[in-house]
Amino acid sequence: MVKAESVTTVELEIDGRKVTADRDETILQVARRHGIYIPTMCYLTKVKPIASCRMCVVNVEGLDDPVLSCQERVVEGLKVTTDSEDLYLYRQNIMKLYDVNHPLECGVCPKSGECDLQNKTLEFNVNGQDFSAREKYRPLEKWGNISYDPHLCILCERCVRVSNEIVGDEALQIEPGGYNSKIVNLKQDDTNVDWGECAAVCPVGALADTHFKSSTNPWELEKIPAACAHSSFAHFIYYEMKFSGSEDREKIYRVRNVAEYDTISGVCRYGYDFENRGSNSDADMQKAVAAFEKADAIRFNSMITNEEALILQRLKEARGYKLFNEDARNYQKFLQAFTSVTGGSLYGGEAGEVDKSDYIVVVGTRVAEDEPAMKFKINQASKRHRAEVIYLHPMEDESIRTIVTQFVKYEAGSEESVLALLAKAFLAGREVPADVKAFLESLDEGYISAESNVGEEEIAGMLRKAKRKKHFTIVAGADLYAHPEAENIARILGLLEKYADFDVIAMPTMVNTLGVSLICDLDAPGDVSYVIGYNEPGDFVLSALENRGDVNMPALNQQEGTFTTIAKTVVPTHVALGFEGFCLNDIANRLGLNKAYTIDYTAELPEESGFQRVAFDDLTAGYDHEGNEVRGYALKERARDMDAVPSEPAELESYDGTVVYICNPNAQKNVFTDICENLPRETRLRGSVQFATAAKIADGDRVAVELGGETIERTFMIDENLKGTIALMPIFDLGFEGQRFGYAYRFNKAKIKQVSQ
């Protein structure tokens, strides 16, 4: 749990202006916070100072030579000058060096119009090249979705720092060679590496999205502020679009984030072209209304806005529909059980503060695939605060090996037992209520340890690593929410937050899982006569995928509304592309509701669930001078009665034989990302040599996986990074029908049969 710490402030002068600063701030940080301009080329707020460009030099009274403002810490009484004739000439000479032999191809460069080198060359009046250097051929390289042009590279090292400090792939490094130095890619063939953010922070055109090059000029694009539809962080992004004459339609050309401060995953950056290019008509409206008149239930998922969720809830209240959303209902029940112990209405952890933690437990999630942005936060905590990262899961994950300081492998299905062991260990010696103490004393550690395969020495190791740590976080994921004992697991996590100084974050599984769980009164699946499916299977399907249902509907990049994020904030998203036809609100109006626009519901989101009466047009979206996100509003915490205590863990179901774990790759999330042109589609069943032996299959075989009463065909791939008899199985390509596999417990005993070699 993050505790407040005292901060000592100092006073100083910058360009004759008196300012106050924290003692641990640099001159550059203080100047930026107060709106004082100091030029930079390599500085990036979200990583440690790089100090490669030397453009940020300033004069300090009492010192003979300029100092680097990105490195120099403030002290009491400091007097700083940020601009003078000498500083101008110093910076101008640096720019002359940067411009040596830089290709004069601005007219076709994808960075033209938003290039730091262009801007600084003009700012410092570099009109000619006074000297030169011998150039040598260096080939263009392609890294996943981006390309690297060494001739354009200025070696600012931003991409290297982002790869190491933020993304955590540690794929890039500098190969020194004087003028011929370059960036070297150590993982060029690794499809799991997230390259997009490296291109986003490049100040020139050296790293660029390959699909965007030569497609348009940046200044021609209209920037639409929005929220990412594929992450529970709902990152602040811009859809950049214009009318494409060759395709005779409006088109999104790319997604951009404010890369100075925030980091988004590849699926957010390249998963943008999922709009419904179809339409609907008056005849479709009549069909839809007739279907709703006939229906007694609506099945939907959590890829909807808060406003749409409220429309469905109002329809339930007015017409008695049952509302089916297994994803949000599992999460809703989990959160209710958790807060019955903590006494709040939400989990206590702050997703935006994970990078400040120094002790992190990750449980119930293959986090690098499930929520890459959370992996980025955990990596930052590891790099900046030497955080202990304890990864609890039945499967080791090679992609986070350099971040994890202790891997604890448990048996599939034993999450309840593992968390009971953690609760007993971390609550030992603490003051707890009598009923909690009785629960802890009832735990048979020897039996639980044997059943879960988590030994006493592993728990002892976790306790040792916790010594002298201050900021404790548990990141819990989707494996827990659909577990047969999910509610008891939630209550045990509640004990750890309430009494053991942990901040718990229950990661929502979709962009608006949390919002739907707070807005809708959801029903357990049951027998009904006629179901409307909204981007889900049903007797009558409203589909945001073109012609995949009975009536076309707008996709999330064609709607405006709000999402409720993992950070417990309500944030806006706007229409990037038009849709020809009606939306859910129009149908609802035909059924008795009465709002002109979907966003008229924004100010009516339920206050009893923590929402505020704020109109959509009053919601902000952006960043302040210090890089703090200023977007939407935070949910209000509500107190509730603490009336629950966990029970002893239930007897475990055995997961012997071949097991498949439902897990989409980090570049795919759902049926909408499946249709995005620039996202890789890895659909193979991936398992170890041991799994192949147990299933009697070989690498490259076409296999049939019997799962949940259905048979799914996959090509099998041996993954040398996997161990044991659990294989990874994606479901993003299975359409609306296949989404249900992601709503159940993710470990599944499966029969694997060879179809062909």
Side-chain angles (χ1 to χ4, degrees):
M1 185 169 290
V2 179
K3 300 176 177 64
E5 298 178 356
S6 60
V7 177
T8 303
T9 60
V10 298
E11 290 189 354
L12 65 152
E13 286 186 16
I14 302 180
D15 294 338
R17 178 179 167 187
K18 291 186 177 181
V19 297
T20 301
D22 297 335
R23 188 176 292 277
D24 62 348
E25 288 185 292
T26 64
I27 294 172
L28 181 59
Q29 287 174 318
V30 177
R32 286 193 167 191
R33 181 155 52 80
H34 289 278
I36 300 171
Y37 174 66
I38 297 176
T40 65
M41 284 292 288
C42 70
Y43 187 78
L44 194 63
T45 302
K46 64 186 179 184
V47 300
K48 295 177 182 176
I50 300 169
S52 69
C53 75
R54 314 194 77 79
M55 287 287 289
C56 70
V57 290
V58 296
N59 288 324
V60 174
E61 187 175 278
L63 298 181
D64 294 333
D65 297 317
V67 300
L68 296 177
S69 63
C70 70
Q71 298 271 26
E72 194 72 21
R73 302 285 174 180
V74 297
V75 295
E76 183 68 35
L78 201 68
K79 293 186 177 181
V80 178
T81 300
T82 67
D83 193 17
S84 67
E85 185 176 349
D86 289 344
L87 290 174
Y88 180 88
L89 292 174
Y90 185 96
R91 293 164 179 161
Q92 185 183 57
N93 285 329
I94 290 174
M95 290 311 304
K96 288 180 179 179
L97 289 171
Y98 272 134
D99 286 333
V100 169
N101 285 6
H102 193 87
L104 295 174
E105 54 184 50
C106 296
V108 295
C109 178
K111 201 73 174 181
S112 185
E114 53 187 19
C115 173
D116 283 358
L117 191 70
Q118 273 184 337
N119 294 339
K120 298 294 190 305
T121 297
L122 293 171
E123 180 182 350
F124 292 98
N125 200 30
V126 180
N127 296 320
Q129 190 166 302
D130 301 329
F131 42 83
S132 63
R134 182 181 295 276
E135 188 63 275
K136 80 171 191 177
Y137 173 70
R138 288 175 283 180
L140 183 74
E141 299 177 21
K142 191 174 186 307
W143 306 343
N145 278 328
I146 71 172
S147 54
Y148 172 55
D149 187 341
H151 292 287
L152 296 175
C153 183
I154 63 171
L155 296 173
C156 66
E157 298 186 47
R158 282 184 174 190
C159 59
V160 176
R161 291 297 188 90
V162 165
S163 176
N164 296 340
E165 291 184 31
I166 307 288
V167 178
D169 293 323
E170 300 184 357
L172 302 180
Q173 66 181 32
I174 295 283
E175 181 181 278
Y179 178 73
N180 293 315
S181 299
K182 67 174 185 175
I183 306 295
V184 175
N185 188 334
L186 305 177
K187 298 182 179 180
Q188 191 163 345
D189 298 323
D190 190 338
T191 57
N192 291 318
V193 174
D194 235 321
W195 300 116
E197 195 66 23
C198 297
V201 300
C202 182
V204 292
L207 287 174
D209 293 332
T210 305
H211 76 275
F212 182 74
K213 297 175 73 171
S214 303
S215 65
T216 187
N217 294 306
W219 61 83
E220 296 175 340
L221 298 173
E222 181 182 357
K223 296 174 172 57
I224 308 296
C228 172
H230 309 308
S231 167
S232 60
F233 281 82
H235 300 277
F236 179 47
I237 60 172
Y238 289 99
Y239 289 117
E240 298 195 353
M241 52 78 64
K242 73 169 188 176
F243 184 83
S244 169
S246 62
E247 299 181 45
D248 193 30
R249 65 180 179 89
E250 289 186 333
K251 176 182 175 180
I252 298 173
Y253 279 75
R254 65 178 178 180
V255 158
R256 300 279 280 175
N257 63 320
V258 185
E260 179 75 26
Y261 308 124
D262 189 28
T263 302
I264 64 175
S265 65
V267 73
C268 290
R269 186 175 303 282
Y270 302 113
Y272 54 79
D273 50 333
F274 57 92
E275 71 275 5
N276 190 340
R277 298 178 193 173
S279 61
N280 57 40
S281 63
D282 291 341
D284 290 325
M285 172 64 84
Q286 293 175 12
K287 289 195 305 183
V289 170
F292 272 89
E293 294 285 1
K294 183 178 179 180
D296 51 1
I298 303 170
R299 179 180 290 115
F300 64 107
N301 61 44
S302 302
M303 284 196 66
I304 63 173
T305 64
N306 288 318
E307 291 73 16
E308 289 180 295
L310 184 56
I311 288 171
L312 295 177
Q313 178 62 25
R314 295 275 175 89
L315 288 174
K316 174 176 183 168
E317 293 165 0
R319 304 178 71 91
Y321 296 124
K322 289 184 179 296
L323 294 184
F324 297 149
N325 182 325
E326 294 174 66
D327 161 65
R329 184 170 183 272
N330 289 338
Y331 189 85
Q332 184 180 69
K333 292 171 63 181
F334 190 90
L335 191 58
Q336 288 170 350
F338 177 84
T339 56
S340 71
V341 174
T342 62
S345 57
L346 301 163
Y347 48 83
E350 297 295 339
E353 299 293 315
V354 171
D355 56 349
K356 298 179 176 62
S357 300
D358 55 12
Y359 190 92
I360 302 172
V361 176
V362 182
V363 60
T365 173
R366 195 168 168 90
V367 68
E369 279 90 356
D370 292 347
E371 188 53 87
M374 181 59 75
K375 173 209 164 186
F376 301 162
K377 293 283 186 184
I378 294 170
N379 180 60
Q380 291 174 72
S382 171
K383 297 295 194 297
R384 295 174 183 174
H385 304 292
R386 297 187 177 182
E388 297 288 352
V389 180
I390 319 298
Y391 181 53
L392 290 82
H393 202 269
M395 303 178 71
E396 196 166 2
D397 187 350
E398 178 66 19
S399 71
I400 57 173
R401 179 179 54 82
T402 58
I403 303 172
V404 172
T405 58
Q406 183 181 355
F407 170 58
V408 179
K409 180 180 179 179
Y410 58 78
E411 294 296 321
S414 68
E415 289 87 351
E416 181 187 24
S417 296
V418 172
L419 286 165
L421 290 174
L422 291 190
K424 183 146 190 174
F426 280 91
L427 292 175
R430 292 179 180 262
E431 288 290 329
V432 296
D435 52 359
V436 174
K437 185 176 181 181
F439 159 71
L440 296 172
E441 290 176 348
S442 72
L443 298 175
D444 185 339
E445 291 174 86
Y447 174 77
I448 295 174
S449 180
E451 287 289 290
S452 63
N453 202 29
V454 175
E456 293 180 12
E457 67 281 0
E458 290 173 294
I459 300 298
M462 291 180 66
L463 290 172
R464 283 195 301 273
K465 292 178 185 297
K467 291 180 179 178
R468 293 183 295 278
K469 297 298 183 180
K470 297 179 180 179
H471 306 153
F472 294 79
T473 300
I474 293 176
V475 177
D479 298 359
L480 308 182
Y481 311 147
H483 190 282
E485 302 299 327
E487 291 177 68
N488 202 48
I489 290 172
R491 287 189 282 268
I492 295 171
L493 280 172
L495 292 183
L496 287 164
E497 176 161 293
K498 183 71 176 177
Y499 302 110
D501 290 339
F502 277 101
D503 287 326
V504 173
I505 298 171
M507 289 198 304
T509 47
M510 294 187 185
V511 64
N512 206 27
T513 299
L514 177 56
V516 174
S517 73
L518 294 173
I519 293 167
C520 293
D521 176 16
L522 300 169
D523 296 286
D527 291 333
V528 289
S529 61
Y530 195 87
V531 178
I532 300 290
Y534 187 20
N535 294 322
E536 286 285 336
D539 299 293
F540 187 91
V541 176
L542 306 174
S543 172
L545 292 174
E546 184 178 359
N547 299 331
R548 301 279 188 93
D550 296 284
V551 171
N552 284 318
M553 299 292 284
L556 283 177
N557 57 5
Q558 297 169 295
Q559 297 188 56
E560 57 185 354
T562 60
F563 301 130
T564 306
T565 75
I566 188 175
K568 299 174 287 189
T569 56
V570 178
V571 301
T573 192
H574 294 83
V575 174
L577 299 174
F579 175 77
E580 188 178 337
F582 57 81
C583 63
L584 181 64
N585 182 56
D586 298 314
I587 298 174
N589 287 342
R590 293 288 188 96
L591 296 170
L593 302 188
N594 185 24
K595 296 290 183 188
Y597 303 103
T598 302
I599 56 171
D600 290 339
Y601 286 97
T602 305
E604 297 184 10
L605 295 171
E607 290 184 276
E608 63 272 17
S609 295
F611 294 95
Q612 300 179 32
R613 291 198 173 277
V614 179
F616 180 82
D617 290 339
D618 293 332
L619 295 172
T620 56
Y623 290 85
D624 63 18
H625 283 307
E626 298 177 70
N628 300 307
E629 188 176 79
V630 183
R631 188 165 62 126
Y633 62 81
L635 290 170
K636 291 185 177 179
E637 183 80 13
R638 305 289 179 178
R640 62 163 294 179
D641 293 336
M642 294 181 290
D643 55 6
V645 174
S647 56
E648 291 184 57
E651 193 167 329
L652 300 178
E653 178 185 355
S654 174
Y655 281 81
D656 298 325
T658 52
V659 175
V660 296
Y661 178 63
I662 303 301
C663 182
N664 288 318
N666 65 357
Q668 287 285 350
K669 286 292 171 284
N670 49 60
V671 294
F672 294 99
T673 60
D674 183 35
I675 67 172
C676 294
E677 183 179 349
N678 295 306
L679 290 178
R681 297 182 75 258
E682 177 55 79
T683 62
R684 289 176 292 186
L685 177 71
R686 292 186 291 142
S688 66
V689 172
Q690 186 179 349
F691 179 91
T693 302
K696 299 179 182 179
I697 56 177
D699 185 65
D701 282 356
R702 191 69 179 170
V703 300
V705 182
E706 292 185 16
L707 189 67
E710 293 190 21
T711 300
I712 302 165
E713 284 199 10
R714 288 279 186 241
T715 298
F716 177 69
M717 168 193 170
I718 288 180
D719 189 331
E720 299 295 340
N721 292 322
L722 296 179
K723 303 172 185 176
T725 57
I726 303 176
L728 297 173
M729 178 152 152
I731 60 169
F732 66 89
D733 62 324
L734 299 180
F736 293 147
E737 293 285 347
Q739 293 181 133
R740 67 182 182 86
F741 295 116
Y743 305 150
Y745 183 57
R746 297 169 75 186
F747 291 95
N748 296 267
K749 289 181 281 189
K751 293 181 180 179
I752 314 290
K753 294 181 180 180
Q754 184 188 74
V755 175
S756 63
Q757 293 183 322

